[in-house]
DNA sequence: AGCTTTAAGCTAATCGAATTAGCTGACCGC
DNA sequence: GCGGTCAGCTAATTCGATTAGCTTAAAGCT
């Protein structure tokens, strides 16, 4: 038979696309094999295992997300950069639910490549936040806050977690503006506990 | 042989405990069976399938989390209630990682019981936020913002997503205070886009 | 063009986890 | 004590991941 001319990268790409369609959790070797046009066992010539394929998808997805975020934020700064970052983040997640689920897996600490793929988005995030000089606020804290909020919203939305009819776009804008407000006000350490009821 | 005296609720409870130990994703019928002291097929006398067991765990977990949050916030209001809510939320997630993962699954919309179990936490959240009368801000938006942020942080932390050495407790406090600040400042709709660079 | 080497793909087989079928005996109410 | 019900069991099925071993397309060399 004519060969399919497969390569590890092609298998990972197919897996990523499939993950977006059927869900990262429902990915199977059989599905991927069918997609690339070979029998299941043939995949093992290109990837070590389903687990390894998942890791590959995760790494690739983190890179894609990172690239997307870079492109969205270049040339912007301050609250504007945060909005661009947030919008690009959510759009990417909604467009690539399976890939996004893949990015959430904790990187394998023994794997250099895996660990690095996650760093880029973080670096961008820190750059974006460089414009917010909330006194006493650590940039890492701010980055974690932003990342947590965006990740939380995106993952709840993409899991269908928002049951109520309230417009989701609007809620997202509210979230982003709330964070921008909060970060701008410089609300980190316990000194912020003054002015409680305000 | 003497009977094990099992009941569906006991199987779900054992499954929940096991999920906390091995991870919700790694739950298997074999593991649960071993835990409750029967052979695997016997479980099917109490639960319909692994999938059904997972749903049961999810429902139970949402109820437990809801109860915990109620207990943590009764008698408090305003920013104080938000802090208590946030602290209780995170503590519960860290103590019950498997159950928490179970709560994230989108409820089955065809299942009345499933849908209801998620509502309680939301109701509490809305109550907690009643104290924040940010003009123009919809309570649902605020609830979603808070939920997203807390869920995001908790799920990243419990997935080992924070690689850096920076103290995580501190970052969490920062996140909560940032939200309190932001919500207090009333930053919802586009009118908030005034005062950009601030 | 013919020869060799490599490795992509295949079929058949193994393994493990979920689930189903059908049997047996423990406990409940009489 | 007797009968019915149902928890639990063993055996069997199914399906997906993975391994073993064969075949031959493709690439390189002479």
């Amino acid at each position: 038979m004519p060969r399919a001319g497969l390569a590890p990268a092609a298998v990972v790409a197919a897996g990523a696309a499939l993950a977006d369609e059927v869900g990262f959790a429902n990915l199977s070797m059989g599905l991927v094999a069918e997609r690339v046009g070979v029998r299941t066992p043939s995949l093992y010539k290109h990837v070590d295992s389903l687990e390894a394929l998942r890791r590959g998808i995760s790494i690739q997805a983190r890179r894609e997300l990172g690239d997307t975020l870079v492109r969205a934020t270049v040339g912007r700064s301050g609250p504007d950069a945060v909005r661009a970052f947030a919008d690009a983040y959510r759009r990417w997640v909604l467009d690539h639910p399976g890939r996004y689920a893949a990015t959430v897996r904790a990187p394998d600490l023994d794997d250099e490549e895996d660990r690095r793929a996650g760093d880029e988005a973080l670096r961008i995030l820190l750059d974006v936040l460089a414009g917010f000089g909330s006194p006493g606020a650590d940039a890492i804290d701010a980055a974690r806050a932003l990342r947590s909020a965006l990740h939380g919203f995106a993952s709840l939305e993409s899991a269908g977690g928002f049951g109520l009819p309230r417009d989701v776009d609007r809620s997202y804008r509210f979230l982003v503006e709330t964070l921008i407000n909060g970060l701008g006000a410089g609300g980190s350490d316990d000194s912020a506990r003054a002015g409680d009821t305000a």
Short mmCIF file of all heavy atoms in Angstrom, two decimals, chain C residues 1-4 7 9 15-16 26-30, chain D residues 1-3 5 15-16 22 24 27-30:
data_model
loop_
_atom_site.label_atom_id
_atom_site.label_comp_id
_atom_site.label_asym_id
_atom_site.label_seq_id
_atom_site.Cartn_x
_atom_site.Cartn_y
_atom_site.Cartn_z
P DA C 1 16.50 2.87 -14.77
OP1 DA C 1 15.31 3.13 -15.62
OP2 DA C 1 16.62 3.58 -13.49
"O5'" DA C 1 16.53 1.32 -14.40
"C5'" DA C 1 16.76 0.36 -15.42
"C4'" DA C 1 17.74 -0.68 -14.92
"O4'" DA C 1 18.86 -0.02 -14.26
"C3'" DA C 1 17.14 -1.62 -13.88
"O3'" DA C 1 17.77 -2.88 -14.04
"C2'" DA C 1 17.49 -0.96 -12.56
"C1'" DA C 1 18.87 -0.36 -12.85
N9 DA C 1 19.14 0.89 -12.11
C8 DA C 1 18.41 2.04 -12.12
N7 DA C 1 18.91 2.98 -11.35
C5 DA C 1 20.04 2.40 -10.80
C6 DA C 1 21.01 2.86 -9.90
N6 DA C 1 20.98 4.09 -9.39
N1 DA C 1 22.00 2.01 -9.56
C2 DA C 1 22.01 0.80 -10.08
N3 DA C 1 21.17 0.24 -10.96
C4 DA C 1 20.19 1.09 -11.26
P DG C 2 17.12 -4.11 -13.26
OP1 DG C 2 17.28 -5.33 -14.06
OP2 DG C 2 15.80 -3.69 -12.75
"O5'" DG C 2 18.14 -4.18 -12.04
"C5'" DG C 2 19.41 -4.83 -12.19
"C4'" DG C 2 20.13 -4.88 -10.86
"O4'" DG C 2 20.26 -3.53 -10.33
"C3'" DG C 2 19.38 -5.68 -9.78
"O3'" DG C 2 20.36 -6.41 -9.05
"C2'" DG C 2 18.70 -4.60 -8.94
"C1'" DG C 2 19.75 -3.50 -8.99
N9 DG C 2 19.29 -2.14 -8.75
C8 DG C 2 18.16 -1.53 -9.27
N7 DG C 2 18.03 -0.29 -8.86
C5 DG C 2 19.12 -0.06 -8.03
C6 DG C 2 19.50 1.10 -7.31
O6 DG C 2 18.95 2.18 -7.27
N1 DG C 2 20.69 0.88 -6.59
C2 DG C 2 21.40 -0.28 -6.58
N2 DG C 2 22.50 -0.31 -5.83
N3 DG C 2 21.05 -1.39 -7.25
C4 DG C 2 19.90 -1.20 -7.96
P DC C 3 19.97 -7.23 -7.74
OP1 DC C 3 20.73 -8.50 -7.74
OP2 DC C 3 18.49 -7.25 -7.63
"O5'" DC C 3 20.56 -6.28 -6.61
"C5'" DC C 3 21.99 -6.11 -6.51
"C4'" DC C 3 22.34 -5.63 -5.12
"O4'" DC C 3 21.89 -4.26 -4.96
"C3'" DC C 3 21.65 -6.43 -4.01
"O3'" DC C 3 22.56 -6.58 -2.92
"C2'" DC C 3 20.43 -5.59 -3.68
"C1'" DC C 3 20.95 -4.17 -3.90
N1 DC C 3 19.92 -3.18 -4.32
C2 DC C 3 19.99 -1.88 -3.80
O2 DC C 3 20.89 -1.58 -3.01
N3 DC C 3 19.05 -0.97 -4.17
C4 DC C 3 18.08 -1.31 -5.03
N4 DC C 3 17.19 -0.37 -5.36
C5 DC C 3 18.00 -2.62 -5.57
C6 DC C 3 18.93 -3.52 -5.19
P DT C 4 22.06 -7.23 -1.55
OP1 DT C 4 23.15 -8.06 -0.99
OP2 DT C 4 20.73 -7.84 -1.78
"O5'" DT C 4 21.90 -5.94 -0.65
"C5'" DT C 4 22.92 -4.92 -0.67
"C4'" DT C 4 22.64 -3.93 0.43
"O4'" DT C 4 21.66 -2.96 -0.02
"C3'" DT C 4 22.10 -4.56 1.70
"O3'" DT C 4 22.73 -3.92 2.81
"C2'" DT C 4 20.60 -4.29 1.61
"C1'" DT C 4 20.57 -2.94 0.88
N1 DT C 4 19.35 -2.65 0.06
C2 DT C 4 18.87 -1.36 0.05
O2 DT C 4 19.36 -0.46 0.69
N3 DT C 4 17.78 -1.18 -0.75
C4 DT C 4 17.13 -2.12 -1.54
O4 DT C 4 16.16 -1.82 -2.22
C5 DT C 4 17.69 -3.45 -1.47
C7 DT C 4 17.06 -4.56 -2.26
C6 DT C 4 18.76 -3.66 -0.68
P DA C 7 15.32 4.05 10.69
OP1 DA C 7 15.70 5.45 10.96
OP2 DA C 7 15.62 2.96 11.66
"O5'" DA C 7 13.78 4.01 10.35
"C5'" DA C 7 13.29 4.70 9.19
"C4'" DA C 7 11.89 4.21 8.92
"O4'" DA C 7 11.93 2.91 8.31
"C3'" DA C 7 11.08 4.03 10.21
"O3'" DA C 7 9.70 4.19 9.91
"C2'" DA C 7 11.32 2.57 10.55
"C1'" DA C 7 11.19 2.01 9.15
N9 DA C 7 11.65 0.64 8.96
C8 DA C 7 12.52 -0.09 9.70
N7 DA C 7 12.67 -1.34 9.27
C5 DA C 7 11.82 -1.41 8.19
C6 DA C 7 11.50 -2.44 7.30
N6 DA C 7 12.03 -3.66 7.38
N1 DA C 7 10.60 -2.17 6.33
C2 DA C 7 10.07 -0.95 6.26
N3 DA C 7 10.29 0.11 7.03
C4 DA C 7 11.19 -0.19 7.98
P DG C 9 2.79 5.64 7.79
OP1 DG C 9 2.36 6.64 6.81
OP2 DG C 9 2.84 5.92 9.23
"O5'" DG C 9 1.88 4.34 7.62
"C5'" DG C 9 2.45 3.25 7.10
"C4'" DG C 9 1.57 2.07 6.85
"O4'" DG C 9 2.52 1.00 7.05
"C3'" DG C 9 0.42 1.85 7.85
"O3'" DG C 9 -0.78 1.36 7.22
"C2'" DG C 9 0.98 0.81 8.80
"C1'" DG C 9 2.04 0.08 7.99
N9 DG C 9 3.12 -0.30 8.88
C8 DG C 9 3.71 0.47 9.85
N7 DG C 9 4.56 -0.18 10.58
C5 DG C 9 4.55 -1.47 10.07
C6 DG C 9 5.26 -2.63 10.45
O6 DG C 9 6.06 -2.75 11.37
N1 DG C 9 4.94 -3.71 9.65
C2 DG C 9 4.05 -3.69 8.61
N2 DG C 9 3.87 -4.83 7.97
N3 DG C 9 3.38 -2.62 8.24
C4 DG C 9 3.67 -1.54 9.01
P DC C 15 -0.63 -11.26 28.39
OP1 DC C 15 0.69 -11.45 29.01
OP2 DC C 15 -1.69 -12.29 28.51
"O5'" DC C 15 -1.24 -9.87 28.90
"C5'" DC C 15 -0.78 -8.64 28.37
"C4'" DC C 15 -1.59 -7.50 28.97
"O4'" DC C 15 -2.57 -7.06 28.01
"C3'" DC C 15 -2.35 -7.89 30.24
"O3'" DC C 15 -2.13 -6.87 31.19
"C2'" DC C 15 -3.81 -7.98 29.78
"C1'" DC C 15 -3.84 -6.98 28.62
N1 DC C 15 -4.85 -7.24 27.57
C2 DC C 15 -5.52 -6.14 26.98
O2 DC C 15 -5.25 -5.00 27.36
N3 DC C 15 -6.43 -6.38 26.03
C4 DC C 15 -6.71 -7.62 25.63
N4 DC C 15 -7.62 -7.78 24.68
C5 DC C 15 -6.06 -8.75 26.22
C6 DC C 15 -5.14 -8.51 27.18
P DG C 16 -2.70 -7.10 32.71
OP1 DG C 16 -1.56 -7.00 33.64
OP2 DG C 16 -3.59 -8.30 32.72
"O5'" DG C 16 -3.61 -5.81 32.88
"C5'" DG C 16 -3.33 -4.62 32.14
"C4'" DG C 16 -4.56 -3.73 32.16
"O4'" DG C 16 -5.42 -4.03 31.05
"C3'" DG C 16 -5.41 -3.93 33.42
"O3'" DG C 16 -5.94 -2.67 33.78
"C2'" DG C 16 -6.48 -4.90 32.96
"C1'" DG C 16 -6.70 -4.42 31.53
N9 DG C 16 -7.23 -5.43 30.62
C8 DG C 16 -7.00 -6.78 30.62
N7 DG C 16 -7.64 -7.42 29.67
C5 DG C 16 -8.34 -6.42 29.00
C6 DG C 16 -9.20 -6.49 27.89
O6 DG C 16 -9.55 -7.49 27.25
N1 DG C 16 -9.70 -5.24 27.53
C2 DG C 16 -9.39 -4.06 28.17
N2 DG C 16 -9.96 -2.96 27.69
N3 DG C 16 -8.58 -3.98 29.22
C4 DG C 16 -8.09 -5.19 29.57
P DA C 26 -25.29 -18.08 53.17
OP1 DA C 26 -23.87 -18.45 53.41
OP2 DA C 26 -26.37 -18.95 53.63
"O5'" DA C 26 -25.49 -16.61 53.74
"C5'" DA C 26 -24.84 -15.52 53.09
"C4'" DA C 26 -25.65 -14.25 53.28
"O4'" DA C 26 -26.75 -14.24 52.32
"C3'" DA C 26 -26.29 -14.10 54.65
"O3'" DA C 26 -26.27 -12.72 54.97
"C2'" DA C 26 -27.71 -14.64 54.44
"C1'" DA C 26 -27.99 -14.22 53.00
N9 DA C 26 -28.87 -15.10 52.21
C8 DA C 26 -28.81 -16.45 52.08
N7 DA C 26 -29.71 -16.96 51.25
C5 DA C 26 -30.39 -15.84 50.79
C6 DA C 26 -31.46 -15.69 49.87
N6 DA C 26 -32.02 -16.71 49.22
N1 DA C 26 -31.92 -14.45 49.66
C2 DA C 26 -31.35 -13.42 50.30
N3 DA C 26 -30.33 -13.43 51.17
C4 DA C 26 -29.90 -14.69 51.37
P DC C 27 -26.53 -12.24 56.45
OP1 DC C 27 -25.64 -11.09 56.69
OP2 DC C 27 -26.48 -13.44 57.33
"O5'" DC C 27 -28.04 -11.71 56.38
"C5'" DC C 27 -28.27 -10.42 55.83
"C4'" DC C 27 -29.76 -10.24 55.55
"O4'" DC C 27 -30.24 -11.35 54.75
"C3'" DC C 27 -30.66 -10.21 56.80
"O3'" DC C 27 -31.49 -9.07 56.70
"C2'" DC C 27 -31.42 -11.52 56.71
"C1'" DC C 27 -31.53 -11.69 55.20
N1 DC C 27 -31.83 -13.05 54.68
C2 DC C 27 -32.82 -13.20 53.71
O2 DC C 27 -33.44 -12.19 53.30
N3 DC C 27 -33.11 -14.44 53.22
C4 DC C 27 -32.43 -15.50 53.68
N4 DC C 27 -32.74 -16.71 53.17
C5 DC C 27 -31.41 -15.37 54.67
C6 DC C 27 -31.15 -14.14 55.15
P DC C 28 -32.34 -8.55 57.97
OP1 DC C 28 -31.54 -7.57 58.72
OP2 DC C 28 -32.86 -9.74 58.68
"O5'" DC C 28 -33.59 -7.80 57.32
"C5'" DC C 28 -33.79 -7.78 55.90
"C4'" DC C 28 -35.24 -8.09 55.57
"O4'" DC C 28 -35.34 -9.41 55.00
"C3'" DC C 28 -36.19 -8.05 56.77
"O3'" DC C 28 -37.25 -7.14 56.55
"C2'" DC C 28 -36.67 -9.48 56.93
"C1'" DC C 28 -36.44 -10.11 55.56
N1 DC C 28 -36.06 -11.54 55.64
C2 DC C 28 -36.72 -12.48 54.85
O2 DC C 28 -37.63 -12.10 54.08
N3 DC C 28 -36.36 -13.79 54.94
C4 DC C 28 -35.38 -14.16 55.77
N4 DC C 28 -35.05 -15.44 55.81
C5 DC C 28 -34.69 -13.21 56.57
C6 DC C 28 -35.05 -11.92 56.49
P DG C 29 -38.37 -6.91 57.70
OP1 DG C 29 -38.78 -5.48 57.65
OP2 DG C 29 -37.88 -7.50 58.96
"O5'" DG C 29 -39.59 -7.80 57.17
"C5'" DG C 29 -40.12 -7.58 55.87
"C4'" DG C 29 -41.17 -8.63 55.57
"O4'" DG C 29 -40.55 -9.93 55.52
"C3'" DG C 29 -42.27 -8.71 56.63
"O3'" DG C 29 -43.53 -8.94 56.02
"C2'" DG C 29 -41.83 -9.89 57.48
"C1'" DG C 29 -41.20 -10.80 56.44
N9 DG C 29 -40.21 -11.74 56.97
C8 DG C 29 -39.21 -11.48 57.89
N7 DG C 29 -38.48 -12.52 58.17
C5 DG C 29 -39.02 -13.54 57.38
C6 DG C 29 -38.64 -14.90 57.27
O6 DG C 29 -37.74 -15.49 57.84
N1 DG C 29 -39.46 -15.57 56.36
C2 DG C 29 -40.50 -15.02 55.66
N2 DG C 29 -41.16 -15.83 54.84
N3 DG C 29 -40.85 -13.75 55.76
C4 DG C 29 -40.08 -13.07 56.63
P DC C 30 -44.80 -9.00 56.92
OP1 DC C 30 -45.87 -8.35 56.11
OP2 DC C 30 -44.48 -8.51 58.29
"O5'" DC C 30 -45.13 -10.55 57.01
"C5'" DC C 30 -45.77 -11.21 55.89
"C4'" DC C 30 -45.77 -12.73 56.08
"O4'" DC C 30 -44.44 -13.17 56.36
"C3'" DC C 30 -46.59 -13.21 57.27
"O3'" DC C 30 -47.90 -13.60 56.82
"C2'" DC C 30 -45.85 -14.45 57.76
"C1'" DC C 30 -44.51 -14.41 57.07
N1 DC C 30 -43.37 -14.43 58.01
C2 DC C 30 -42.67 -15.63 58.21
O2 DC C 30 -43.05 -16.65 57.59
N3 DC C 30 -41.62 -15.67 59.08
C4 DC C 30 -41.25 -14.56 59.72
N4 DC C 30 -40.21 -14.63 60.56
C5 DC C 30 -41.94 -13.32 59.54
C6 DC C 30 -42.98 -13.30 58.69
P DG D 1 -37.63 -23.44 62.97
OP1 DG D 1 -37.45 -24.45 64.00
OP2 DG D 1 -36.85 -22.16 62.94
"O5'" DG D 1 -37.34 -24.12 61.54
"C5'" DG D 1 -37.99 -25.31 61.21
"C4'" DG D 1 -38.91 -25.08 60.03
"O4'" DG D 1 -39.50 -23.77 60.17
"C3'" DG D 1 -38.22 -25.07 58.68
"O3'" DG D 1 -39.18 -25.50 57.71
"C2'" DG D 1 -37.83 -23.60 58.55
"C1'" DG D 1 -39.05 -22.90 59.13
N9 DG D 1 -38.80 -21.59 59.75
C8 DG D 1 -37.84 -21.25 60.67
N7 DG D 1 -37.89 -19.99 61.02
C5 DG D 1 -38.97 -19.46 60.29
C6 DG D 1 -39.51 -18.15 60.27
O6 DG D 1 -39.13 -17.15 60.91
N1 DG D 1 -40.58 -18.05 59.40
C2 DG D 1 -41.06 -19.10 58.65
N2 DG D 1 -42.10 -18.82 57.87
N3 DG D 1 -40.59 -20.33 58.66
C4 DG D 1 -39.53 -20.44 59.50
P DC D 2 -39.18 -25.30 56.18
OP1 DC D 2 -39.97 -26.37 55.53
OP2 DC D 2 -37.76 -25.09 55.81
"O5'" DC D 2 -39.98 -23.93 56.03
"C5'" DC D 2 -41.37 -23.91 55.83
"C4'" DC D 2 -41.72 -23.01 54.66
"O4'" DC D 2 -41.44 -21.63 55.02
"C3'" DC D 2 -40.92 -23.27 53.38
"O3'" DC D 2 -41.78 -23.10 52.26
"C2'" DC D 2 -39.77 -22.29 53.46
"C1'" DC D 2 -40.41 -21.10 54.19
N1 DC D 2 -39.49 -20.36 55.09
C2 DC D 2 -39.64 -18.97 55.25
O2 DC D 2 -40.55 -18.40 54.64
N3 DC D 2 -38.81 -18.31 56.09
C4 DC D 2 -37.83 -18.95 56.74
N4 DC D 2 -37.04 -18.26 57.57
C5 DC D 2 -37.64 -20.37 56.59
C6 DC D 2 -38.48 -21.02 55.76
P DG D 3 -41.14 -23.00 50.77
OP1 DG D 3 -42.10 -23.65 49.83
OP2 DG D 3 -39.73 -23.44 50.80
"O5'" DG D 3 -41.21 -21.44 50.52
"C5'" DG D 3 -42.45 -20.73 50.64
"C4'" DG D 3 -42.29 -19.34 50.03
"O4'" DG D 3 -41.40 -18.55 50.88
"C3'" DG D 3 -41.65 -19.35 48.64
"O3'" DG D 3 -42.27 -18.32 47.87
"C2'" DG D 3 -40.18 -19.09 48.93
"C1'" DG D 3 -40.22 -18.20 50.17
N9 DG D 3 -39.11 -18.36 51.08
C8 DG D 3 -38.37 -19.50 51.33
N7 DG D 3 -37.43 -19.32 52.22
C5 DG D 3 -37.55 -17.99 52.57
C6 DG D 3 -36.80 -17.22 53.50
O6 DG D 3 -35.86 -17.59 54.22
N1 DG D 3 -37.26 -15.90 53.55
C2 DG D 3 -38.30 -15.40 52.82
N2 DG D 3 -38.58 -14.11 53.00
N3 DG D 3 -39.01 -16.11 51.94
C4 DG D 3 -38.57 -17.38 51.88
P DT D 5 -40.28 -11.60 44.86
OP1 DT D 5 -41.27 -10.55 44.54
OP2 DT D 5 -39.87 -12.60 43.84
"O5'" DT D 5 -39.00 -10.89 45.46
"C5'" DT D 5 -39.12 -10.21 46.73
"C4'" DT D 5 -37.77 -9.60 47.09
"O4'" DT D 5 -36.88 -10.63 47.63
"C3'" DT D 5 -37.05 -8.97 45.90
"O3'" DT D 5 -36.47 -7.76 46.36
"C2'" DT D 5 -35.99 -10.04 45.53
"C1'" DT D 5 -35.66 -10.62 46.91
N1 DT D 5 -35.14 -12.01 46.94
C2 DT D 5 -34.22 -12.34 47.90
O2 DT D 5 -33.80 -11.55 48.71
N3 DT D 5 -33.80 -13.65 47.89
C4 DT D 5 -34.21 -14.65 47.01
O4 DT D 5 -33.76 -15.78 47.11
C5 DT D 5 -35.17 -14.23 46.03
C7 DT D 5 -35.67 -15.23 45.03
C6 DT D 5 -35.60 -12.95 46.02
P DC D 15 -17.67 -3.76 21.28
OP1 DC D 15 -18.87 -3.10 20.76
OP2 DC D 15 -16.91 -4.73 20.44
"O5'" DC D 15 -16.66 -2.67 21.80
"C5'" DC D 15 -16.85 -2.08 23.11
"C4'" DC D 15 -15.58 -1.36 23.50
"O4'" DC D 15 -14.75 -2.24 24.30
"C3'" DC D 15 -14.72 -0.95 22.30
"O3'" DC D 15 -14.18 0.33 22.57
"C2'" DC D 15 -13.66 -2.04 22.25
"C1'" DC D 15 -13.45 -2.30 23.74
N1 DC D 15 -12.84 -3.60 24.09
C2 DC D 15 -12.05 -3.68 25.25
O2 DC D 15 -11.92 -2.67 25.95
N3 DC D 15 -11.47 -4.85 25.57
C4 DC D 15 -11.64 -5.91 24.79
N4 DC D 15 -11.04 -7.05 25.15
C5 DC D 15 -12.43 -5.86 23.59
C6 DC D 15 -13.01 -4.69 23.30
P DG D 16 -13.47 1.13 21.38
OP1 DG D 16 -14.34 2.25 21.04
OP2 DG D 16 -13.02 0.15 20.34
"O5'" DG D 16 -12.17 1.69 22.10
"C5'" DG D 16 -12.26 2.28 23.41
"C4'" DG D 16 -10.87 2.24 24.03
"O4'" DG D 16 -10.57 0.87 24.40
"C3'" DG D 16 -9.77 2.69 23.07
"O3'" DG D 16 -8.86 3.52 23.74
"C2'" DG D 16 -9.16 1.38 22.60
"C1'" DG D 16 -9.35 0.46 23.81
N9 DG D 16 -9.45 -0.94 23.46
C8 DG D 16 -10.17 -1.51 22.44
N7 DG D 16 -10.02 -2.81 22.36
C5 DG D 16 -9.15 -3.11 23.39
C6 DG D 16 -8.61 -4.35 23.80
O6 DG D 16 -8.81 -5.48 23.32
N1 DG D 16 -7.77 -4.23 24.91
C2 DG D 16 -7.48 -3.03 25.52
N2 DG D 16 -6.65 -3.10 26.56
N3 DG D 16 -7.97 -1.87 25.14
C4 DG D 16 -8.79 -1.98 24.08
P DC D 22 8.38 -12.66 12.34
OP1 DC D 22 8.70 -14.07 12.08
OP2 DC D 22 9.48 -11.69 12.62
"O5'" DC D 22 7.47 -12.13 11.15
"C5'" DC D 22 6.12 -12.61 11.03
"C4'" DC D 22 5.45 -11.97 9.83
"O4'" DC D 22 5.18 -10.57 10.13
"C3'" DC D 22 6.33 -11.97 8.58
"O3'" DC D 22 5.51 -12.25 7.44
"C2'" DC D 22 6.92 -10.57 8.55
"C1'" DC D 22 5.81 -9.73 9.18
N1 DC D 22 6.28 -8.53 9.91
C2 DC D 22 5.69 -7.29 9.64
O2 DC D 22 4.79 -7.23 8.81
N3 DC D 22 6.13 -6.20 10.31
C4 DC D 22 7.10 -6.30 11.21
N4 DC D 22 7.49 -5.20 11.85
C5 DC D 22 7.72 -7.54 11.51
C6 DC D 22 7.28 -8.63 10.84
P DT D 24 4.93 -8.30 0.93
OP1 DT D 24 3.76 -8.51 0.07
OP2 DT D 24 6.17 -9.11 0.78
"O5'" DT D 24 5.33 -6.76 0.86
"C5'" DT D 24 4.40 -5.75 1.24
"C4'" DT D 24 5.10 -4.41 1.15
"O4'" DT D 24 6.01 -4.24 2.25
"C3'" DT D 24 5.94 -4.24 -0.11
"O3'" DT D 24 5.92 -2.87 -0.43
"C2'" DT D 24 7.32 -4.64 0.35
"C1'" DT D 24 7.31 -3.97 1.72
N1 DT D 24 8.31 -4.39 2.72
C2 DT D 24 8.72 -3.47 3.64
O2 DT D 24 8.29 -2.35 3.71
N3 DT D 24 9.66 -3.92 4.54
C4 DT D 24 10.23 -5.18 4.57
O4 DT D 24 11.06 -5.45 5.42
C5 DT D 24 9.76 -6.09 3.56
C7 DT D 24 10.32 -7.48 3.51
C6 DT D 24 8.84 -5.67 2.69
P DA D 27 11.25 8.62 -0.64
OP1 DA D 27 10.46 9.81 -0.30
OP2 DA D 27 11.49 8.26 -2.05
"O5'" DA D 27 12.65 8.68 0.10
"C5'" DA D 27 12.86 7.99 1.35
"C4'" DA D 27 14.34 7.76 1.54
"O4'" DA D 27 14.65 6.36 1.28
"C3'" DA D 27 15.20 8.57 0.57
"O3'" DA D 27 16.38 8.98 1.22
"C2'" DA D 27 15.48 7.58 -0.56
"C1'" DA D 27 15.59 6.27 0.22
N9 DA D 27 15.27 5.08 -0.56
C8 DA D 27 14.33 4.96 -1.56
N7 DA D 27 14.27 3.76 -2.10
C5 DA D 27 15.24 3.05 -1.41
C6 DA D 27 15.69 1.71 -1.51
N6 DA D 27 15.16 0.83 -2.37
N1 DA D 27 16.67 1.31 -0.69
C2 DA D 27 17.18 2.20 0.17
N3 DA D 27 16.85 3.49 0.37
C4 DA D 27 15.87 3.85 -0.47
P DG D 28 17.52 9.84 0.41
OP1 DG D 28 17.82 11.03 1.24
OP2 DG D 28 17.08 9.98 -1.00
"O5'" DG D 28 18.77 8.85 0.44
"C5'" DG D 28 19.04 8.10 1.63
"C4'" DG D 28 20.16 7.12 1.35
"O4'" DG D 28 19.64 5.98 0.62
"C3'" DG D 28 21.27 7.72 0.48
"O3'" DG D 28 22.52 7.23 0.96
"C2'" DG D 28 20.95 7.18 -0.92
"C1'" DG D 28 20.40 5.80 -0.57
N9 DG D 28 19.51 5.21 -1.57
C8 DG D 28 18.49 5.82 -2.28
N7 DG D 28 17.88 5.02 -3.11
C5 DG D 28 18.53 3.79 -2.95
C6 DG D 28 18.30 2.54 -3.57
O6 DG D 28 17.46 2.25 -4.42
N1 DG D 28 19.17 1.56 -3.11
C2 DG D 28 20.15 1.77 -2.16
N2 DG D 28 20.91 0.72 -1.85
N3 DG D 28 20.38 2.94 -1.56
C4 DG D 28 19.53 3.90 -2.00
P DC D 29 23.89 7.82 0.33
OP1 DC D 29 24.73 8.25 1.48
OP2 DC D 29 23.58 8.78 -0.75
"O5'" DC D 29 24.53 6.52 -0.31
"C5'" DC D 29 24.42 5.27 0.41
"C4'" DC D 29 24.91 4.13 -0.46
"O4'" DC D 29 23.85 3.67 -1.33
"C3'" DC D 29 26.10 4.48 -1.37
"O3'" DC D 29 27.08 3.46 -1.27
"C2'" DC D 29 25.47 4.57 -2.77
"C1'" DC D 29 24.33 3.56 -2.66
N1 DC D 29 23.19 3.83 -3.55
C2 DC D 29 22.65 2.76 -4.31
O2 DC D 29 23.17 1.63 -4.21
N3 DC D 29 21.59 2.99 -5.12
C4 DC D 29 21.07 4.22 -5.20
N4 DC D 29 20.02 4.40 -6.01
C5 DC D 29 21.60 5.32 -4.45
C6 DC D 29 22.65 5.07 -3.64
P DT D 30 28.49 3.68 -2.02
OP1 DT D 30 29.51 3.06 -1.16
OP2 DT D 30 28.60 5.08 -2.45
"O5'" DT D 30 28.28 2.77 -3.31
"C5'" DT D 30 27.88 1.41 -3.16
"C4'" DT D 30 27.93 0.70 -4.50
"O4'" DT D 30 26.69 0.92 -5.23
"C3'" DT D 30 29.07 1.19 -5.40
"O3'" DT D 30 29.66 0.09 -6.08
"C2'" DT D 30 28.36 2.07 -6.43
"C1'" DT D 30 26.98 1.42 -6.51
N1 DT D 30 25.89 2.36 -6.86
C2 DT D 30 24.86 1.90 -7.65
O2 DT D 30 24.80 0.77 -8.08
N3 DT D 30 23.88 2.85 -7.91
C4 DT D 30 23.86 4.16 -7.49
O4 DT D 30 22.93 4.89 -7.80
C5 DT D 30 24.97 4.56 -6.68
C7 DT D 30 25.05 5.97 -6.17
C6 DT D 30 25.94 3.66 -6.41
#
